[in-house]
Structure formats: C-alpha cells, structure tokens
Amino acid sequence: MTKKWVYAFSEGDGKNKKLLGGKGANLCEMTQIGLRVPPGFVITTEACLAYLDNPKRQLPEGVMDQVHAALVDVEKKSGRKFGGRTNPLLVSVRSGAAMSMPGMMDTILNLGLNKDTLQGLIEQTGNERFCYDAYRRFIQLFGKVALNVPEAEFDEEFNAVRDKAGARHDVDLSAKDLADISERFLVVVKRSTGRPFPSDPHDQLEIAIRAVFNSWGGKRAVDYRREFKITPEMANGTAVNVVEMVFGNMGGDSATGVAFTRDPGTGENVLFGEYLVNAQGEDVVAGIRTPKPVAAMAEEMPDLHRQLLDLRSKLEAHYKEVQDFEFTIEKGTLYCLQTRNGKMNASALVRTSVEMVREGLIDRRAALLRIQPEMLEQLLFPRLDPRFKEKPITNGLPASPGVAVGIAVFDADRAEKRGRTGERVILVREETKPEDIHGFFASQGILTSRGGKTSHAAVVARGMGKPCVSGAEGIHVDVRMRHARAGDKEFSEGTLITIDGTSGAVYLGEVPMIEAEFSKELATLLTWADEAARLGVMANADTPEDAERAVKYGAMGIGLCRTERMFNGVERLPIMIEMIVADSTKERQSALDRLLPIQREDFKGIFKAMTPRPVTIRLLDPPIHEFLPSEHLLVDEIDELEKLREILRGMKVLSDSVAFMNHARDVKPEVQKFTDPALVDEAIHKKRAILSKARSLHEVNPMLGHRGVRLGLTFPEIYRMQIRAILEAAAECQKAGIEVHPEIMVPQVCTAQELKAVRKWVDDIRVEVEDTYRIKLDFKFGSMLEVVRACMRADNLAEQAEFFSFGTNDLTQATFSFSREDAENKFLPMYNRMGILQDNPFEVLDVKGVGRLMEQAVQWGRRTRKDMKVGICGEHGGHPASIRFCHTIGLTYVSCSGPRVPIARLAAAHAALLGGEKIVDKAL
Amino acid sequence: MTKKWVYAFSEGDGKNKKLLGGKGANLCEMTQIGLRVPPGFVITTEACLAYLDNPKRQLPEGVMDQVHAALVDVEKKSGRKFGGRTNPLLVSVRSGAAMSMPGMMDTILNLGLNKDTLQGLIEQTGNERFCYDAYRRFIQLFGKVALNVPEAEFDEEFNAVRDKAGARHDVDLSAKDLADISERFLVVVKRSTGRPFPSDPHDQLEIAIRAVFNSWGGKRAVDYRREFKITPEMANGTAVNVVEMVFGNMGGDSATGVAFTRDPGTGENVLFGEYLVNAQGEDVVAGIRTPKPVAAMAEEMPDLHRQLLDLRSKLEAHYKEVQDFEFTIEKGTLYCLQTRNGKMNASALVRTSVEMVREGLIDRRAALLRIQPEMLEQLLFPRLDPRFKEKPITNGLPASPGVAVGIAVFDADRAEKRGRTGERVILVREETKPEDIHGFFASQGILTSRGGKTSHAAVVARGMGKPCVSGAEGIHVDVRMRHARAGDKEFSEGTLITIDGTSGAVYLGEVPMIEAEFSKELATLLTWADEAARLGVMANADTPEDAERAVKYGAMGIGLCRTERMFNGVERLPIMIEMIVADSTKERQSALDRLLPIQREDFKGIFKAMTPRPVTIRLLDPPIHEFLPSEHLLVDEIDELEKLREILRGMKVLSDSVAFMNHARDVKPEVQKFTDPALVDEAIHKKRAILSKARSLHEVNPMLGHRGVRLGLTFPEIYRMQIRAILEAAAECQKAGIEVHPEIMVPQVCTAQELKAVRKWVDDIRVEVEDTYRIKLDFKFGSMLEVVRACMRADNLAEQAEFFSFGTNDLTQATFSFSREDAENKFLPMYNRMGILQDNPFEVLDVKGVGRLMEQAVQWGRRTRKDMKVGICGEHGGHPASIRFCHTIGLTYVSCSGPRVPIARLAAAHAALLGGEKIVDKAL
C-alpha cells in the first residue's frame, strides 16, 4: 500500500501544520468545525520532500492517483466537473509550508480553464469579459509560475493590445480585447517553452503541483530560510492546497467581503466588515467600487447576514480569539475562504479579551497571555496619531516615552517663567544638569542634543514620566541666542514643537496625538495579572507626587526612592552646594541640619501616599560633584562676573563691553541683578570656591568613583542625616496612625563591612528616635547589588542585609566594562549591527552574563538568609523579557518607573503562567 | 590528685607553647636537647586562667606545693639554697604567653634576696657594690611590678642619695650609697603598701607569681590584645618562668655575651658575636666597656671557646636555622640563657639557607620556605643604605621600586639632552604622557606630583624596571620655571635629588645606597624553586631589551607583551597620531602601512631574545585618545603658536610679547623653530585637527570605554596590521631557524562573538603569510579575562580561545566598581584605615571577590577545554599571596614585571610546597 500523500479537507488533521502546512491545516480545521469552505484537498509536505529527494524529480508513487481520487470527491461535493464543458470545476493551487514564508510560489487561480471549459464558464456566469479576463490571467500566472515564462513577454503582448484598443486602464479593455490577449499569451507560452500551453486540466494540475514543490528548493526560498534562520524543525517542505474556485460575481445573489468578528478599532462586540455584491475579492482590494459595511447586509440579504453572524459565532467559539476572515457568496451560498487572528490595537485587544472572559469564551489565563505586555505602552503614554506620516526634522534617542507638544524654551529659568503663565513648554538644551530641575517641572517634555539614555535629562524625565528625546545630535542648540537649527530647519524660543519620546522623533509645529487610555477593562485585566503573578511589582518614585501616581498604576510599593533627587529642588540645591563646598564637618553639619527637615517632610509625604505599602529608600548614591554646575559653566559665569565688575567699576571700558551688555540681557538673572562691585566680588568669590571644589572632586571614571556608600563612609554626617530623616518621618507617621514600612537601602556596596558600618548608625539613630517619640519602629535594612563584588559576596552580605535589590544599570556597566554613555554613543550600535551582541544590554537584561551573576548571587544570598527578599530596580525591571528572567531566578519583586508598572504587572503574570523556563546554563 | 601546674625545664613539652608559653617552652626545649640552661621551671597558663577565674583570686590548689617541690629540684641542680645564708639561690621570674606580647609584666630579677641572703651573696661574689646594686634593683622592680608602688617614689629617694653623694651617673655611686638606697627603698615600700617589704623569699615568689597572673587581666594587656586582635585561640593566659640567676661577673672565669651561629650580615659560616669578661648582660648593653669579638675567646678562654662552638653546633643541629643566642659564663661554666632564630638581611638569609642545604643540615624545601619571597626585593633593586636616617623632603606613592639618584630635569626633551651627555637624570613632572617616553629612556628614575600607582609614569616605569615615585602631592612643580618646591625646600634643574621608589621618599642630594645583588646562591635557590613549583613564571615585557632582561631573571616566557608601548617611541608616535586623526580608512591604512614594518621588527627582536620560550602578545588595548596630547596641552600650544604668529607677522606687538619671548626660550623646540608665519599656520592647523579629534574621542569613563577589542572591531585595519606584524615576524624568525611560539591575545573581550570576529582575521592572515613565506606557522590564539562578563562566559569563550590570561588590574576595578586612580586618591586609604578593606585590592588580589570570580571562570573554561592554559598578567602576578591563590585555583602560570620574576618564582615554589589551601568558600 502506498503512503497517504493527499488529504481531503474533511480528513486532514487541523493541528498538523508540519504535514499539511499552515494554510492546509487551517482549511481542514475550518471544514471540520462545520464552516462552509469550498471543497478541496492538501498534498502533504512529505510528498514535497520525497519529490525533491528523488534524483529524477519524479512525484512519489501514488501522488497523482490520490490527487485524482480527491478531485473526484471535490467534483461530487461541488456538483461540478474538472475539465467539464458545462459547469466546469476550476481550482486554485497554492503552496503552504508550516510557517508563512514569502519567497514561495505564487497562487495559481482558475486552474482547469481551457478553450472548452472557458465556454462552460461563460455559459455559467453569463459574463464573457470576466471569463476571458480569468482565462488570460490563468495563462499568464501559470506561464510565469509553473512554466518560467519571462513576465516581460506577457507584458509586451498585453501592452500591444491595450495600445491598439486605446485603453488607459485594464478595466477599459473589452471581452474581445481580453480574448485577443489570451490568444497572444498562448503563443507566448509556446514560443518561450517550445511546447503548446497544456490544455488538459489534469496536466495543468500536475505541472502546478511540481512547480510548487520545486519552489521550496528554489533560490528565493532557500535564501529566505537562511536569512531568517528557519530550520527544518520549524518548516520542512511545502504542502500544496487545491481548492474549488468560488465566485462572488455570479449575480445579485453573489458577493464577497472581509470582516472581523469584533470591531478591531474599539474592541466592541459587533461584527465589523465590508462587502460588495456581485464582485470578486480583488474588486474589494482594487477600490473601484465602494464596499458597504456588513451591517447593510441585514437589509440587503437578511438570510445571508444571519449566516454571516452564525459564521462569526462559530469562528469565535472555535478559535477563542477575534477573527479576521474572508468570505464569498456564490449564488446565495456563503463560503468562508480564510480566517486568522485579527490584528487589533492594544485598547481593542484588552477590551475584547476581558469581555471574552466575561462571555465565558476564554479563561483569564488565555486573556492575559494573548496580550504582549509591551503593547500596553500604547495605553499608558500619549502617542502620535498613526495616520500622521510627516518626516521629523531630526531624530534623537527615545529616552522617555510619550509625546509632548509645547513651545521651545532654552533655559530652565525661562521655562519655569513661561510655564507658570500656563504655556506648554518643551525644554531644549544641549544637555541638562541638576540645576535645571525646576525647568523639568515646568515643561511638558525635554529635548537635548547631547547625552544618551542614561543622561541626566533621560533619567530624570523617565522618573517624572515626562517624554524626553535625548542626544538629538542633528540639532545645534545656541542657548545664548535662544535658537536651534536642525539641517535647514530652524526654531527659536516660542516656536511650537513636538517631541516623540517613544520613537525619538522631533517635529516642528503641533502633531496630532492620541491620549493615554487607562480603561476599566485594563484595570480588570491587571487585577487578574496580579492574581496570576508570583513576582511583585513595585515602582521607582522619588516624590510624593510620583508615589501617588505609582499607586494609581497599581504598584505594590516603592522599590526605589532616590533621595538625591530631593536635593535638586530650587530651594534645596543651594544648601546642598553649601554642604559640598563646606571645609569643615561643622559647616557641613550646619547645611545638613537645614536639609534634614526638608527630607523628613519628603519622606512623610511619600509614606502617606504609599501607606500601608513598603517604601524602599536608597541613601545618597551619585558622586557629589554631580550637584555642582559644570566647570565649563562656572568658568563662563566667573568670566562674565569679572567683566561686569569692570564695567560697574567704570575703571576700564573693554572694547567688547557693548557686546557684553547685549549678552547681559540674555544671561541668568543672578548675574544681571548685581549693581554693586562689592556684591560682584562676593559672587565671584563664592563661584570660585565652587569651581575649586568641582575641580578637586573631578574623577577620571566617575561611574567607578567616590559615590554611594564610599561617599557615605567618608562623610558620615550625610547618611546619618538621611537615616534620621527617614526614621523620624516614619515615627511621625506612626504617631499619626499611618502605617509605614520603610526599607533603608545602601548603594554601591562591595563588602559586608560597609553595611556593618552603616547599620551601626542605623541602630544608634533608631534608639534615639524611638526614645524621642516613645514608639517602636518597624523597618528593614538592605543593600543594593549593583557592584559585581557584592554579588560574589552575597552570602556574606546577607548576614547584614535583610533584603537585596539588583541595580542592573550599574551592574551591567560593570559586568561588560561598558560605560553606558560611551558605549551607546560609540560602539554599541556597531556591535548590534555586527551581531556581536543581539540586544542593547542596557535595555534588555543580558541573561547569559549579568543574569548568570544575578542567579548566583540569589542562590548565595539565600544560602545565608533563606527567605531573603530580592528585587531589581534597574531599568530592566520594566522590561518583559527581563521580568520573565527575574521570575525564573526567584526574585521577589521588580521595580520600574510608574508608567511601566502595568506593563510589568502583565509581564509578571506571563512569567508565572508560562512557567520558569531556565534561560541560562543551570550547571553552576 | 591535683592537676599538674608546674613543669621543670627537664620535663615540659618544648612544643606546647599554649600550655607553657613561648619562653617556657623554649627553655624546656633547650634543656632537653642537652644545652646547659640554668635550672628552673614553668607554671602553666592553665594555672593563670584558673587563678583569674577564681572570684577570690586564690591560686589553684596545689600550685605553691608544686612550686616548692620544683624549687627543691632547682636547689639540687644548682647546689644552692633558696633563702640560704650561704650560697643563696636567686631566681628570675618572667611572664610568658604563647605569643610575644608587650604590655605584660616586666621581669623580676634577683628574687630571693633579703638581708640574710644578701650577705651570702656578698660572700660568694666578693663584690659588695654589685650585690647592693642587685638588692636595690630587686626592691625597686619588685615594689613597682608586684606591689604597685609608684615609681616616682623610688626615683625621689634615689636622686636624693645621688645628689648627696655628688654623683653624676649611677656608676659613680659607691656600695655604701647603694646600701643607703636599699634601706630607703624598703621604707618607701612600707610607706606605700602599709606593710614591710616581704623578706621571706617564698613569700616573694608567691607574690611575684600572682603579679604575673594579674598582669594578664590588666588594662594594658587587655587593650593590647584587643588592638592586635589576639584571640584566645592564639594566646590564652600567661605562664610564669622561674629560673636560677647565674652571674657572669663572678671573676675572671666568668663572662657574658651574645652571638649568632653565622654572620647575620654576610651569611658566612662563622660564629659571630661579642662578649665581656667578668660582666653582666646589662654591661654589654650599657656600652661602658667595649665587648670583644667571640673570636678573641679562642685565646683568652680556649676551653670555653670550644664549649661555645659546641653550643653553636648543637643549636644549629637542633633548630636548623641560624640562631641568635645569649650566654653567660659563671665561674667557668657556660650557660645558654636564650636562643631564637637570627634575623638576617635577605642576602645572608639566602646564603645561609643554600649553604645549610649543602652542609646537609636542611633540605631544599626548608631552605625555600624560610625565605619570604618579598624579601628578595632587597636583592633585586638598589635600596637606601639602612644606616641613613634623614627625613625625606616629601613622600609620594612607591610606584616602582628601587632607588635612583640624578639631577632634576623638568621635561623629557631636556632629560634626553642632558642624559645623552652622560648625566644621571631624574625626570620630574606633574604627570607624564606618552610623548614623554624618550625622557623615561634617558632617566634614572621618575618623580611626579600627580597620579596614582597606575598613572602613566608608574606603569611605564615599572615596565622599564626604573624607580618611580608618583603622586608626590607635596611637591609643586613649575615646568616653565624648571623649578619645584616641597614645603620650605626648593630645587631647580640640575639639583641632585634621590628618589626611593620602594618607600615613596624623595630626598635632596645624593643619599647612600646599596646596589642590587643577584648572587650565585640566589640563582641556586631559584633553580630549586623552579623544580618545586607547579606554576610557571613569565614576565611582562614590551621590548627586546625588556625581553633580554626577563630571560636573565629566569622568566619562562613572556606572559604579556603590550603592543601599545611600541607606538610611543619618538619616531612612531607621530605616525600613530596621524593614524588616529585620519578621516578615512585609506589615510588610516597609509599610516598603518608605515607602522607595520616597525612592529614586525619589534616582534622579531622579542622573539629572538625569548627563543624558544612562548611570547604572549596582546593586541592594542588602551583607548586611542591616550596617544594624543592632553586637551589642556594642545590648547596651550595653539595659544602660543598664535602669539608667535602675531609676533612673526609684525602686525601687532602684544604687551606681553616680551614676556612671551622670555617664555619662548623655555618652550618646546618645535615651537621655537618656526620663523615663517605660513609654517606656523600649518602647525596651528595640524594641532587643531588633533585637538578636535581629542575632543571627539573624549569619554566619560575611559576605563569602561572604547578600547581593546571594541576598538579593534571598530577599526579592523589596526588589529589586522598587528596580527600581520606578529605572524610575519614569526615567519621570518622561523626561516632564520629561530624557534618561536607566539600567542596572540585579545584584550577587553566580553563575548565569544568578539573572539570569533578577530579569529577570522587571524585565520585569513595566517593563510596569506604561510603562502608568502611557504612555511607552516605554529601559534596560539587566546583571550584576556579582564571583563567580568568574560569570566561569566568563560565556558563559551573557551570554544574560541586556546588560552586565557586574567587581567586582574581591570578585573579588580570592574569587580569593585572602583576606578583605581580615583579610589587610591580618594577613599581607599580611608577604607584601609577603617578596616572596611584589609588591603589595597590593586596590590593584594582580593581572593574573596575577584578570586572567587576567577576560580569560577577557570572551572567553567576548563569544562569546555580540559587542559586550558590559564595565566594572570595583572600586577598581582608578582605578589606572593596572590601567587599562592593562583596556584590554588589551578592557574598554569603567573606573569609579572621582569624584576619581580625571582620573587614570583620563589612564591610559586612556596605555593606548591605549602599545598593548595583553599582560601575562598569552596561550596560553589
């Protein structure tokens, strides 16, 4: 007995894509669930492989016999006869591998036509023009695809007839013209192949089948598979699908259309689609006639409309997802030709998924898993209207997602001023510094011409959830002139611009956008996600406002509160600078004494907003020189002040004093306000002290410098102030009946001794605060793991730390020895291009290197402290693939910026539902 | 039966220091090996602890009984009677814990004296003055130590008598004066304690024993143990040693002396020491009489001299080390009072050790182990004469060991000029740059006022084996004025100065020094070391001269040849700069084409020097901006050139042109040589191009920047040139019959993909070179492990790399997230002071963190490639403790700077002999 090479749609296994190809399996499945699909059959991929393996390129024994048998079956079901003079059966022949794969053979339509069957078709349809058109198309397609006739030869003849007929478009051609073309095409084929066009439909079919098989081994397909790394396990050989042709253009009781089972734009539970009466599929696409909405069918063809609704129900009941399907009505019979999962925007996807759960169609697991977490970004940030297609004036780095529109303003002071009047402002700078922070608050978004995704602008904007485009190197910013140029485009202060922090694009003028949509359905979905997840999701938040927002996004607490941000406020930075410039512990302490109540209030605000959730507060991390203005800026300011002093003294008029006075109007108000040389002297003195400090604090590699706990141990009074502010804030909240769970976290730790030293301060201050407030405090003490050595010593650190939090931004830099700013500007894009690295490790956690280290650290840490709480608070904490890895290695929670919390919640659910697939080598 | 609390010297276990204390055990041992030691006994540390544990502070039951019994035994052996009127037995009472420990009780001598026994002693010695002196000393010491009488009260009485007698020194006091003092001291004791001085020798002894025990729990001792972290495991309680007093001042047949069994200065095998006839030990120390060399005893007391030689033989035969011993001859009887291992300089230690092996006294293992590898440094670098005691004018960092003397010169050009005339030169700079390299060659040593132990100056000097003091911040260098100031000391060009790169000290003038001494014995010892070691020792060497030196030091190959150093030569740097500034690949290639033959010749020179040993060559590592002059310098130069141009054009005479012309004489010859404004323009143009490139190459964190293989992959032509130079050099050597084993090493690798890409070039160029030269090349391809991720992916990297070399300098920086330069200048000293870190991890390999990572990497790497050759080429490769760790984790070799090779060879032997003690937690 020969092998079974051919399966009728009624018998093929709808799940066996490997054997039947994706398309074939789909047709079998639709047939078997009772949808009316035109009859047909599939020739298996095994037949293809056997054919290609055969050195003589003979079809395997039995294939054509089985094809003929299957054809007989199709004839029976359709009531038509293949090659028949009357009521002829025409078929389409399509390739179809296990995966959709461009580069495979085109479809052949209308196979079975020859002079005889053509007449039958004309009789049947009464549409001579359509039939000749179908005929010439068949000859052309078959000739090209199955017989390798060069397409140009057909085009030449076609154009000759068209010119002769004086037709401008194809549609202007008459039936006669098309008949003429068909004749000429037959000649072309004969001339090109040396043989007449095969007129026997069975010959046509066999040639078509061979052609499909051959195309699998053809250059285009082989190249494609190599390029996209499609292995034989993924797809091996192509199947051939032979299907009866049905026609929607057989009169007023025929039609064709496409539909979604629900509205893909809104997710509303209504049939959504369009159709054309007495038309073919290509007419819908061609756009010559305007299709009607399917709702119209209810009146026009009520019975068929009911059938369509029935089809819709069957599709959803079976596929459990919104379907995008094609249908054709031939003489009052509705055929479903194809169906696939409908592509929808995030909003519709969320709504349909939640509603399908309520309808009992799917369970929560399915609803959660069908939505890729990253898709939610659409719903959480405003975005460009996708219909807007203009080119941006330049592109920078997508540093903080969302779209912002406002007038360009070139310094923070003016941004604040104009922002206060209610204007929408975009702060445009070469790069930003801590002293610009008030400008951030006042702005809709930030645009810089320098700096990467970890530049000050990017990090602060992300923290605030404001859109930011950084490192837009195409823009030349002239702050003094309040002017910017990008190529031949220019803009000045007051010009309306739009920045897209999701893509990095910058536009002149206001670009239409779509607002964020946090729907009820999304809220529901995320509640389900929380129930499914094992990982907790916390937010990074530095202010009470951030904290409130984090709660709205569903954060289970704050995983990272960066205390240094609090020092950047306008009224605080000067005190901070005073503290830094201080020459003695006493002076430093005096500045700290003024910072203490400010920090305490900050913490109280955050605790209140988060109650009763945990709040993890990281002690001061960055090197203190980051709080000082740049050397460059200071030198400039001192220069200007010196000039001003000379002018004021009237002792000497510099040749450029006029120019300077012109400048003076544009410079900072601080400089303008002096009218007394003595005051200028004082200002110069102060600036020089700052400059000298800035120089003494200069570091060769600030990323690896005097920061974090290193700094904390050098100037104990800073950390002590912060610890006191935290514990006093907690005590005051507790006294006021507000439940608080602070967690004090030490940054840049590399040895347990550092933790021990800080812990001693914490213990001492706890005693004092408890005595003063007469309460018992409840808090945790823990360590960042962002230094490689901390990971290597995690077992040891766990003796001091009650929790760990991976700082994967720094850890990635240290593990790769890549300075993020330098890498992203210099070699990382090249590395990605060359395939040396697949991803940017600062965006996608490097599980093989950094991840292996983290996994090791978790194991070691828990060896000492079994139930150790371990989280991640680097940017990776908001990245779905990284979250999955965090789940796998057993982290307790991830923490990310507020607006990414929903994404992370869904990703955490996915991780739990899809299980702990191990990504790195487990044989440690 | 009560416990045994007391051991006679003849019965105590000489190894049981814990029970008997160090001193007691030593006395027991000496007694038992047949040396004549005055009889005595030890009261155990257990007795001490039992006494201190007793709330009533009673001596444990049986102690005094056993003491009395032991005393009877001593009386028997000495023929004297404790408390006897004639021939009285006197004893000394000493504390003695398991470890030598200042802060414990002073020795009590002459215990047993009272009015009666004093008379007996006078009769016995016939020396009344000596006896009264002994008596008053006993009362004073006993009073102070055992009875807590304030010392001032004794001093008062003593001074009163001295003044009355009109004596200037103690020696001027007569026997009567001393008798008077004794009487007064007895009164002092009675007044202070309220009781008469104990006259019963047995009472004296018990009080003394209690006092010794009490001192263990006293504040001084407790503080000391806390300060030096002496745990009960190390020493718990003190023993008490009671020994018969013997006297060297009992006439012409009595004497006292100290001796070494061999000459501790030269190591020569002769008895070495001094003695005084009819004297006490303190007379030798007091220096009133000049002792004679022991050789003189051969004539003066031939019999005793023979006994002394016999003692010497017995000591060496037993202790197997050179002994430093004390002896006393009482009436013709030689007593050995104490012995310990003799402290010797390295040279003597090496000689005695090698000779003792030849004499069959010890085996090679013992000889190797008794010499601490670091000691050899004395023999390998010139050092200050230890007798020189003046204070340095300032101290910097000991950046490269050895002492150098020369005239101060403040720039490299002048250093070269003066050096060529034969002057000894010390190059003095604020900091050095690659363009100063010719100045290094011309100098004896380098002194900088800025930069740490990894500054350019330090690294280059170490590489060249020249002394260097870096970061001597106390010195203000004024290069223009060719002048420097350190506090109130100043020096100018031409002033003779001395720098000590071993200690960091800087002196004015020429300081006496001792040259390096690579003796025959050292060579022998190191040959034994090589036989004992499992680890190979290679050298870091960058030039043929370095390589030749490395061979002399016994290196088994070159473990690190840094190719970038080769670009710093005067004739090469301009081409390198041209290559860097090049705007196109073509321009770059043209510069590289000129560098190729230069590098090839370098490699040939090195291969020839090292044949047939392996030579590991690292491809270009540092960021290329390191080859450019500093921005600061360029801006200065451009300024000067611009001024020069204006002067030359005669268009404008600046007010400071005279000052400038004065400067001009001092500035670089390049600037002076221009006389044509057009040439100046050209020079300015060139400098500006370099400046602009330097700015575009600026990096935020250069340590983590665009360097190593990252740079190699960005500009493939650089690595391709280097690979070609290596392989062509190898081919040419091979053709000339010189055996070569090059190993090409890729720096900064973080993923196997990088290695794969470079390996492709290597494979391609190999084929070309083999074709051209018609030979087969034999070489290895490997990777640095200096990036954490490389360690985490070692299994993967091992698929590409045939060997690994740990770059622990960079790896330590990345593991700690410490930038070495910043850390050593900012917080590392504080960390060491606070005990947060025990050592500087850049000097002593951090085995707990970095080491754990290395161990892991070795295991993973060898999982892929079983016999993988793995080395270390960071500075730790020359540090003995680190070498021991490298042995433990199974490295194949260590590589260090040439002059440290002997130290490393000995350390490698120690590691093998002491076995693979695991230092880090093994439960990975």
Side-chain angles (χ1 to χ4, degrees), chain B residues 343-359:
Chain B
K343 286 209 173 115
M344 283 178 285
N345 64 41
S347 161
L349 190 56
V350 168
R351 176 170 172 180
T352 56
S353 301
V354 170
E355 289 186 349
M356 281 182 164
V357 172
R358 294 203 175 124
E359 293 159 19

Side-chain angles (χ1 to χ4, degrees), chain B residues 96-166:
Chain B
M99 291 177 60
S100 166
M101 203 180 296
M104 295 292 298
M105 208 188 76
D106 292 332
T107 301
I108 298 176
L109 297 174
N110 303 329
L111 189 138
L113 277 179
N114 56 22
K115 294 216 168 107
D116 294 341
T117 56
L118 178 65
Q119 288 313 315
L121 190 65
I122 292 171
E123 282 163 25
Q124 192 181 359
T125 62
N127 188 338
E128 204 176 7
R129 189 188 175 285
F130 156 70
C131 294
Y132 277 110
D133 195 36
Y135 189 38
R136 70 95 189 168
R137 278 176 199 272
F138 167 58
I139 301 164
Q140 184 174 7
L141 217 49
F142 190 93
K144 177 186 141 205
V145 170
L147 304 174
N148 294 315
V149 178
E151 202 160 12
E153 300 195 17
F154 291 117
D155 291 347
E156 207 174 286
E157 298 299 332
F158 186 88
N159 292 341
V161 175
R162 198 176 54 184
D163 292 351
K164 203 176 71 178

Side-chain angles (χ1 to χ4, degrees), chain A residues 454-586:
Chain A
T454 38
S455 63
H456 177 262
V459 173
V460 174
R462 276 198 299 275
M464 292 185 173
K466 293 195 177 188
C468 174
V469 172
S470 70
E473 295 186 349
I475 296 188
H476 293 268
V477 176
D478 184 339
V479 171
R480 289 291 165 95
M481 298 303 292
R482 300 178 189 163
H483 182 86
R485 187 166 45 74
D488 56 349
K489 298 290 197 318
E490 299 187 302
F491 59 95
S492 304
E493 183 175 313
T495 309
L496 207 57
I497 63 172
T498 301
I499 61 169
D500 182 356
T502 311
S503 72
V506 179
Y507 301 90
L508 281 186
E510 178 162 3
V511 168
M513 61 174 178
I514 296 170
E515 284 303 324
E517 324 152 69
F518 202 100
S519 64
K520 262 185 264 177
E521 286 87 359
L522 178 56
T524 304
L525 187 84
L526 291 175
T527 314
W528 299 344
D530 294 344
E531 286 165 13
R534 186 186 54 65
L535 269 177
V537 176
M538 318 263 270
N540 299 350
D542 305 335
T543 62
E545 298 72 41
D546 280 357
E548 279 162 26
R549 216 146 42 96
V551 171
K552 283 194 196 128
Y553 282 122
M556 297 163 198
I558 291 181
L560 176 64
C561 171
R562 279 156 291 206
T563 50
E564 53 270 18
R565 295 284 168 79
M566 301 175 179
F567 295 128
N568 278 330
V570 257
E571 79 283 13
R572 302 158 177 212
L573 193 58
I575 313 180
M576 187 68 183
I577 291 176
E578 210 178 305
M579 196 277 292
I580 294 167
V581 178
D583 281 324
S584 66
T585 309
K586 204 180 141 196

